[in-house]
Amino acid sequence: MDVKNLLSTIQANKRLQAIIVGLYIVVTFASLYLAQKSVIAFLLLLASLLLLYFTSFSNRVKWLVGGLVLVVLLPLAASQGEAYQSYMEVATLVGIYIAMALGLNIVVGLAGLLDLGFVAFFALGSYTYGIFATSQANNFMPFGHYPLSGESFWVFIFIGCLVAALFGVLLGIPVLRVKGDYLAIVTLGFGEIIRIIFNNLDKPVNITNGAMGLASVKPPELFGIQFMYPSQFYYIVLIILIAVIFAVRRLEYSKIGRAWKAVRENEIAAQAMGIHLVRTKLMAFAVGASFSGMMGVVFAAKQTFVDPTSFTLVESITILVMVILGGMGSVPGVILGAAIVTILNLQVLTELTNWLNQLSLSGVIHVPDALSPAKMQRFIFGIILILFALYRPQGLLPAKNPVFDEKDLKDTDSNHPMNTGVHKGGTQHVHLDS
Amino acid sequence: MIEQVLQTLPQVLIDGLALGAVYAIVALGYTMVYGILELINFAHGEIFMTGAFVGTAILLTFSGLGWMASMPAILALLLVLIVTSVATGLLGMGIERVAYRPLRNAPKLITLITAIGISFLLQDIVRFITELKNGNYILTGPSLFSKQIGVKASAISSVFNDASVKSSFFIVLILAVIMMVALDFFVNKTKWGMAMRAVAQDRETAALMTVNVNKVIALTFFIGSALGGATGVLFAVQYGTIDPYIGFILGLKAFTAAVLGGIGNIRGAMFGGIMIGLLEMFAAANLPVVSHGILGAEYKDVFAFAILIIVLIFKPEGLFGKVSVEKV
């Protein structure tokens, strides 16, 4: 009871919230700043964003504080020691996966089309940049000189986006004739086909260099500065991510976003309401794929190495786990889910493994190698998928539909008789969403 | 070019038939479950894989205890098949009870997602146990029936090359045929089989006709999984080496077979399985020849998936299935 009371007082009091969040950020910042090797401090500082999400400030304040934490505090606190680049590496990958999960969220969460081959678009983006930013393109391009300079990276972000979107539409056209679980299988098949093709496209013309992969991809360059380190990529990813989140938020409440939700709930009813099914679904595929393609370009540039093993089915399922864990259709949820899964994968599991190894070495307990947490990914993902599907299908942060108070809308109507048309649009929302 | 294709044809037919028999029985599991619940049991490929591991483990224990020498190999194999199929059958029933039954009225996508979860879980549990016992998750069973028998195909016509067959091929084929005939008899001629068909046709009406629907669904999972597990053993005997990740792609191809034969149709699944096995072996042997080395044998998987996609897009009811009409 006390906890409940405490929570409700905090919820009611904005100043208290500000103090708590501020204190939390300062403490975690200081602990990361001082205790460099502490992964926990790093994670806690990231968690301040989640805390921020639950406060009742206006969106603008939330964005400002969140931006401050991400742009200034996190890199500054992490930059004090040797672990700097590895922290930034994790943060960068978290950003990349968040953007991909947001893309998949449009396809699965909003439009209700289960895509099990989503990583294919990521692969397309990666290879688009990888091929032209290495000497690989010399093998088949009749003109031009390769590798292209690092400055082309910025153009390639858009090219990767377009290529992925194009393939999203091309795959979508045949695939969308099938529905539901068949669609899942077909997309899975397409994902595997693309991976196998990339794996074997070193003959007759060597385009992808097959299983060997493309090495030493040119790093991005801007005004003569080369982007080599994760701490630099972090800012690129952050900018793209903010653009992606902005786009997703706008799309969700736009006409096409509402059409996606309608198609998800009931295809036939949506069609009867005048929604063009094929066009709506293709849009979902294209938009979702384009985010993935963009991040593929960044990924290729960051790793400076592209090979088909980064694009297996497990990757597709990992992205799906992010969406399911966070909550299908919920943007904050998916961001949280992607962050949790990526950090779990990259930091928690490896740290646990190291810790257990040390324990085994010092002879405290003996943990067999087979049990090492770094190998348990599938187990953990499997458990997450099953438990969430069974007990919490709406995810950690469920999607919320905007609720319009009918009475409130009518009142504004009578106050401003000039705006009736606009507000009638508002009342229609109520019917759609309820 | 045609000459080359013809030369390898006898070997392709033999290998394709062995693989096709495996696909056919695994496809039965998919098609039975889909027929009754309209659910793609993604975990079925993993049940097949578990069966392969359980069977190999038992065989290894037998030879470790020195029992293999004291009984004929075929008896040992039959014993292993029975034990494995009961074990995987119970596993399948358990999966249905825990993961699918609570979601029977949930949206289909949710059930599919749990199925993927189960499939990942099984892969990792099997990997974990094998690695713990064995130090390595790739397992090689004792070689049974490994005698090579030459087939004098050149005696029939001079265009063919001679082929060779492992004696396990005949055992796999004969046991597979026995399993398929037994299942066909069970479904079409017995009372329980009739109940299964009734539930597949209309679950609610069947329930009104005093058919215990939950029991029938559990039985379906038991039979499908038992057959899948037994096939896993046959696969391990025929191909020797197994790892925890064989189930997924094989399951996908078996699903392709089920779709090709018309999902829900048991005889169709058998036919589809044999077809896919033959086509895959044919593609693996001849793609490099036909395309002058441009397309390698690795593209055989692309070939299988392409069949799946083409069938689903242009003829989703399969070769022998009924066209389903969506009612509003």
Side-chain angles (χ1 to χ4, degrees):
Chain A
M1 272 314 277
D2 282 344
V3 179
K4 246 183 196 168
N5 279 336
L6 192 67
L7 276 181
S8 57
T9 26
I10 294 176
Q11 245 157 23
N13 191 339
K14 266 196 186 181
R15 188 176 298 166
L16 203 58
Q17 286 176 12
I19 294 172
I20 291 176
V21 172
L23 212 64
Y24 181 87
I25 292 177
V26 169
V27 169
T28 48
F29 172 78
S31 49
L32 182 60
Y33 194 88
L34 299 172
Q36 264 307 301
K37 282 206 165 167
S38 165
V39 179
I40 295 172
F42 173 71
L43 296 183
L44 286 177
L45 185 55
L46 271 185
S48 67
L49 297 175
L50 184 64
L51 203 62
L52 194 67
Y53 169 75
F54 283 115
T55 56
S56 45
F57 301 124
S58 69
N59 269 341
R60 183 178 303 223
V61 177
K62 284 186 194 176
W63 274 103
L64 276 176
V65 179
L68 183 75
V69 171
L70 285 176
V71 176
V72 183
L73 294 183
L74 188 70
L76 184 67
S79 66
Q80 296 304 309
E82 289 162 10
Y84 179 38
Q85 295 302 346
S86 72
Y87 284 140
M88 286 294 113
E89 163 102 20
V90 172
T92 310
L93 282 174
V94 168
I96 289 178
Y97 277 106
I98 288 177
M100 277 211 279
L102 284 172
L104 184 64
N105 182 44
I106 288 181
V107 183
V108 177
L110 294 183
L113 309 163
L114 187 53
D115 186 344
L116 296 180
F118 194 67
V119 84
F121 303 120
F122 188 55
L124 278 166
S126 294
Y127 270 101
T128 310
Y129 185 61
I131 287 171
F132 288 97
T134 57
S135 53
Q136 194 66 28
N138 286 326
N139 292 338
F140 62 95
M141 287 296 282
F143 52 86
H145 183 70
Y146 303 95
L148 294 174
S149 74
E151 272 159 358
S152 66
F153 171 80
W154 314 103
V155 184
F156 264 95
I157 292 182
F158 295 100
I159 297 179
C161 176
L162 286 179
V163 168
L166 183 72
F167 268 83
V169 173
L170 284 182
L171 294 190
I173 291 170
V175 159
L176 289 176
R177 290 180 50 135
V178 297
K179 274 189 213 152
D181 36 10
Y182 276 180
L183 178 82
I185 298 280
V186 171
T187 51
L188 197 161
F190 262 124
E192 283 295 289
I193 287 178
I194 287 193
R195 187 181 61 80
I196 296 172
I197 287 178
F198 277 139
N199 204 6
N200 290 292
L201 212 60
D202 49 352
K203 55 191 175 202
V205 184
N206 188 352
I207 297 178
T208 64
N209 208 15
M212 309 272 288
L214 302 167
S216 60
V217 177
K218 278 255 172 178
E221 207 179 316
L222 191 65
F223 307 126
I225 309 165
Q226 283 206 328
F227 286 68
M228 309 266 285
Y229 300 107
S231 55
Q232 295 164 312
F233 277 102
Y234 173 74
Y235 287 103
I236 301 179
V237 168
L238 203 61
I239 291 167
I240 299 179
L241 186 61
I242 288 171
V244 164
I245 293 175
F246 182 74
V248 169
R249 289 304 265 193
R250 301 292 292 188
L251 277 171
E252 189 183 349
Y253 300 115
S254 68
K255 192 177 171 204
I256 186 82
R258 281 176 278 133
W260 285 331
K261 286 185 192 171
V263 169
R264 175 187 69 189
E265 295 306 324
N266 190 332
E267 268 185 24
I268 295 167
Q271 208 169 14
M273 298 303 285
I275 289 173
H276 196 296
L277 269 192
V278 175
R279 201 182 298 154
T280 314
K281 287 181 177 179
L282 284 183
M283 267 298 273
F285 263 104
V287 174
S290 65
F291 294 161
S292 205
M294 247 191 294
M295 281 310 184
V297 173
V298 180
F299 183 75
K302 191 186 86 59
Q303 304 292 66
T304 67
F305 179 70
V306 189
D307 82 331
T309 53
S310 317
F311 311 111
T312 53
L313 179 77
V314 181
E315 288 291 313
S316 292
I317 305 284
T318 309
I319 307 170
L320 183 68
V321 172
M322 294 170 186
V323 175
I324 305 284
L325 176 71
M328 281 190 278
S330 146
V331 173
V334 169
I335 294 175
L336 177 67
I340 291 179
V341 171
T342 319
I343 291 174
L344 190 75
N345 239 341
L346 293 174
Q347 286 252 285
V348 179
L349 291 183
T350 38
E351 288 290 321
L352 266 180
T353 312
N354 290 343
W355 185 63
L356 285 177
N357 280 346
Q358 270 172 6
L359 283 188
S360 310
L361 274 180
S362 57
V364 181
I365 42 163
H366 183 68
V367 181
D369 189 40
L371 195 70
S372 91
K375 290 184 181 174
M376 304 286 270
Q377 277 176 17
R378 284 172 192 252
F379 186 85
I380 295 165
F381 291 165
I383 291 272
I384 291 178
L385 283 179
I386 296 166
L387 291 183
F388 271 79
L390 281 178
Y391 299 112
R392 205 176 160 82
Q394 73 273 39
L396 286 176
L397 299 177
K400 278 181 279 189
N401 269 334
V403 182
F404 295 92
D405 189 355
E406 209 165 346
K407 198 167 145 256
D408 212 33
L409 286 172
K410 274 181 190 152
D411 284 352
T412 24
D413 269 358
S414 52
N415 290 341
H416 308 279
M418 300 295 285
N419 291 339
T420 5
V422 177
H423 287 293
K424 261 188 188 154
T427 24
Q428 273 177 1
H429 284 275
V430 180
H431 289 292
L432 263 180
D433 291 330
S434 57
Chain B
M1 198 159 72
I2 296 291
E3 273 172 37
Q4 266 178 303
V5 172
L6 278 178
Q7 275 172 3
T8 51
L9 198 62
Q11 189 69 53
V12 164
L13 282 179
I14 287 167
D15 293 344
L17 218 53
L19 192 63
V22 170
Y23 286 158
I25 312 178
V26 179
L28 287 176
Y30 280 105
T31 225
M32 280 163 65
V33 168
Y34 195 93
I36 222 160
L37 282 181
E38 299 211 341
L39 159 76
I40 300 174
N41 182 12
F42 237 108
H44 192 64
E46 266 57 46
I47 288 175
F48 159 86
M49 178 273 296
T50 313
F53 270 86
V54 171
T56 312
I58 299 175
L59 278 176
L60 283 174
T61 322
F62 275 8
S63 48
L65 292 172
W67 292 2
M68 287 306 280
S70 58
M71 62 178 140
I74 184 78
L75 189 69
L77 183 66
L78 283 179
L79 209 64
V80 169
L81 278 179
I82 290 166
V83 175
T84 310
S85 54
V86 170
T88 51
L90 291 176
L91 177 70
M93 259 167 85
I95 290 172
E96 191 270 333
R97 183 69 193 81
V98 174
Y100 299 153
R101 194 179 295 179
L103 294 171
R104 210 171 278 165
N105 296 319
K108 261 197 229 163
L109 289 189
I110 297 287
T111 328
L112 196 62
I113 286 166
T114 29
I116 297 172
I118 293 275
S119 148
F120 264 42
L121 207 61
L122 279 179
Q123 281 177 10
D124 212 59
I125 291 173
V126 170
R127 179 210 48 96
F128 170 61
I129 295 173
T130 319
E131 209 172 327
L132 201 62
K133 293 273 175 208
N134 197 32
N136 184 353
Y137 63 74
I138 297 170
L139 197 62
T140 307
S143 65
L144 299 172
F145 319 110
S146 53
K147 208 174 126 204
Q148 294 284 341
I149 301 166
V151 176
K152 292 266 177 290
S154 53
I156 304 169
S157 162
S158 57
V159 294
F160 297 133
N161 276 0
D162 285 347
S164 77
V165 194
K166 253 172 88 179
S167 55
S168 63
F169 165 75
F170 297 106
I171 289 163
V172 169
L173 208 61
I174 290 167
L175 286 174
V177 169
I178 291 175
M179 281 193 240
M180 288 192 257
V181 172
L183 181 75
D184 201 69
F185 176 81
F186 178 82
V187 171
N188 289 320
K189 294 278 157 34
T190 64
K191 216 167 182 181
W192 277 104
M194 200 196 282
M196 269 168 65
R197 282 180 288 141
V199 173
Q201 202 160 55
D202 187 335
R203 205 187 303 162
E204 277 170 23
T205 314
L208 293 175
M209 302 291 173
T210 71
V211 175
N212 186 340
V213 172
N214 277 337
K215 223 179 217 170
V216 170
I217 291 176
L219 180 75
T220 311
F221 269 88
F222 181 85
I223 294 175
S225 308
L227 290 178
T231 323
V233 180
L234 295 183
F235 181 88
V237 168
Q238 169 78 7
Y239 296 99
T241 309
I242 48 177
D243 72 66
Y245 309 116
I246 50 170
F248 202 87
I249 294 294
L250 192 137
L252 211 57
K253 287 180 190 159
F255 178 75
T256 308
V259 171
L260 182 66
I263 198 142
N265 183 329
I266 288 178
R267 288 180 189 172
M270 299 176 191
F271 176 81
I274 303 281
M275 280 292 286
I276 295 283
L278 286 173
L279 279 173
E280 188 184 322
M281 277 299 159
F282 189 77
N286 295 318
L287 269 180
V289 180
V290 174
S291 65
H292 298 286
I294 294 171
L295 299 174
E298 295 91 350
Y299 280 101
K300 70 183 198 311
D301 284 356
V302 172
F303 205 72
F305 294 136
I307 294 176
L308 172 70
I309 292 168
I310 291 167
V311 171
L312 277 181
I313 290 169
F314 294 107
K315 204 165 164 41
E317 71 275 9
L319 293 176
F320 307 108
K322 277 180 286 201
V323 183
S324 67
V325 183
E326 190 177 359
K327 290 178 204 151
V328 181

